[in-house]
Amino acid sequence: MKPYAAVAVAVLATGASSFVAVPQQQTRQVDLGRSLDDALSPSGRVSPLLMGRAAAVRAATKGKTDAKKAKVNAYYGKKIIMAVKQGGSPDPVANRQLAELIKAAKNNSVPVDNINRAIKRATEKDAGDFSESKFEAYGFGGASLIINVLSDNPNRSTADVKSAVNKNNGKLAESGSVLFMYDLKGKVEIPSEVDEEELLMAAIDAGVDDMELVDGDEEGTSIVYTDPKETSLLFDAVKSMGLEEGSKMSLSHVSKAPVECSEEDFEKNMKIIDALEDLDDVDSVEHNMSN
């Protein structure tokens, strides 16, 4: 009977582990930086270790994507409840603020069922009174943070934000001490590369006076900034180019003076951001790091 070596494959998304039995003479250490050909086993198949790591990376990526989508859905749900209560009507024809929010929610791929549930929830007597607030904080290496909160319990959200920042050795800042270093802009995220000249013509046709096209956070994606008041018009321009699917619009604080942190400081700052984004009351965290 041939001896076997157990190769452990950690599944990041679930924290579980599985084990694959591989003949010992075929067990090889796989360098993920080498070519796929080098990672093949003698039989010509991809080694179980490489397959396991690839699956783990895919699972982790899917987990982050799902969490981000859930944040977006929850954000618009709370905003819709606010709009119904403030506008005094669940009818978007009579409530302009609600109509604009429904449009924005659909543009950000929020399911119609979620929108309808939020409207219905807003008419119930025990529906919470949501309010928006911002916290400002300092991280490491010159990094600053803007923490956007939408909550029906300000005392809880304040305590949770303070705890997340302090436990990760960040420092809460006084109101206004960070915000002045940012510009508020309309933001449209597009999951593909965009021809700048074509986009410019579409934007002009839609009535947009000013725009800035930059590379997105992920390879092969794009971000377009504009005046906050023209965000919806810019999104209409993107739709006219056939790029509506997967595109999202929002308002975003953009740093006037981005900083590049060391790798160590960047990791520390991301620990603060991750801890904040895990909070239900925190909708987003914006920062000035360029790396």
Side-chain angles (χ1 to χ4, degrees):
M1 185 174 184
K2 296 180 181 179
Y4 282 75
V7 180
V9 182
V11 183
L12 299 182
T14 63
S17 298
S18 60
F19 295 89
V20 180
V22 181
Q24 195 161 15
Q25 62 267 34
Q26 292 185 10
T27 302
R28 304 170 63 197
Q29 185 174 5
V30 178
D31 183 352
L32 293 180
R34 293 163 58 191
S35 68
L36 181 60
D37 289 339
D38 291 337
L40 294 175
S41 66
S43 63
R45 297 179 179 177
V46 178
S47 75
L49 181 57
L50 179 60
M51 292 173 65
R53 286 181 178 172
V57 170
R58 286 196 298 271
T61 301
K62 184 179 184 301
K64 288 182 179 180
T65 300
D66 291 345
K68 189 174 182 181
K69 186 183 296 184
K71 276 280 186 184
V72 171
N73 292 346
Y75 169 77
Y76 279 104
K78 290 184 283 187
K79 290 286 285 185
I80 287 171
I81 291 174
M82 281 182 64
V84 171
K85 288 197 164 193
Q86 292 174 358
S89 173
D91 182 0
V93 176
N95 188 335
R96 183 177 177 182
Q97 182 184 2
L98 175 61
E100 291 176 351
L101 268 172
I102 291 174
K103 179 181 178 182
K106 289 180 178 179
N107 286 341
N108 284 279
S109 304
V110 177
V112 174
D113 286 347
N114 289 39
I115 295 172
N116 292 336
R117 279 199 300 269
I119 294 173
K120 181 180 178 182
R121 174 62 178 156
T123 62
E124 297 173 358
K125 292 182 179 180
D126 61 341
D129 292 319
F130 289 95
S131 60
E132 293 178 291
S133 59
K134 294 185 189 299
F135 293 85
E136 301 165 49
Y138 296 112
F140 298 85
S144 60
L145 309 174
I146 296 176
I147 306 155
N148 300 301
V149 170
L150 181 55
S151 174
D152 60 349
N153 189 328
N155 292 332
R156 179 191 64 216
S157 59
T158 298
D160 288 348
V161 167
K162 285 182 178 179
S163 177
V165 172
N166 292 335
K167 282 183 178 179
N168 289 282
N169 300 311
K171 181 182 179 182
L172 283 173
E174 292 184 8
S175 178
S177 60
V178 167
L179 206 56
F180 82 95
M181 296 186 287
Y182 292 75
D183 288 322
L184 182 64
K185 295 186 177 183
K187 178 182 180 181
V188 175
E189 299 172 81
I190 307 171
S192 63
E193 295 180 349
V194 181
D195 182 274
E196 186 170 9
E197 185 174 347
E198 184 182 354
L199 175 61
L200 179 60
M201 295 305 297
I204 292 173
D205 290 342
V208 177
D209 291 328
D210 186 35
M211 53 153 269
E212 178 188 7
L213 175 64
V214 300
D215 292 334
D217 297 332
E218 299 178 8
E219 186 176 354
T221 64
S222 306
I223 294 175
V224 195
Y225 292 108
T226 189
D227 184 282
K229 296 178 181 178
E230 297 183 344
T231 310
S232 184
L233 295 177
L234 179 60
F235 195 85
D236 288 340
V238 170
K239 287 197 294 185
S240 72
M241 296 171 64
L243 301 173
E244 178 180 3
E245 186 174 354
S247 295
K248 299 177 181 179
M249 70 174 185
S250 61
L251 295 181
S252 176
H253 290 92
V254 181
S255 174
K256 298 176 183 177
V259 299
E260 184 171 356
C261 299
S262 67
E263 185 174 344
E264 181 181 356
D265 286 341
F266 178 81
E267 292 297 329
K268 290 178 180 178
N269 290 329
M270 290 309 299
K271 282 188 67 177
I272 300 174
I273 292 172
D274 288 343
L276 288 166
E277 289 184 339
D278 281 342
L279 301 176
D280 290 338
D281 291 332
V282 173
D283 294 308
S284 64
V285 180
E286 298 165 303
H287 60 78
N288 65 341
M289 293 186 291
S290 60
N291 54 333

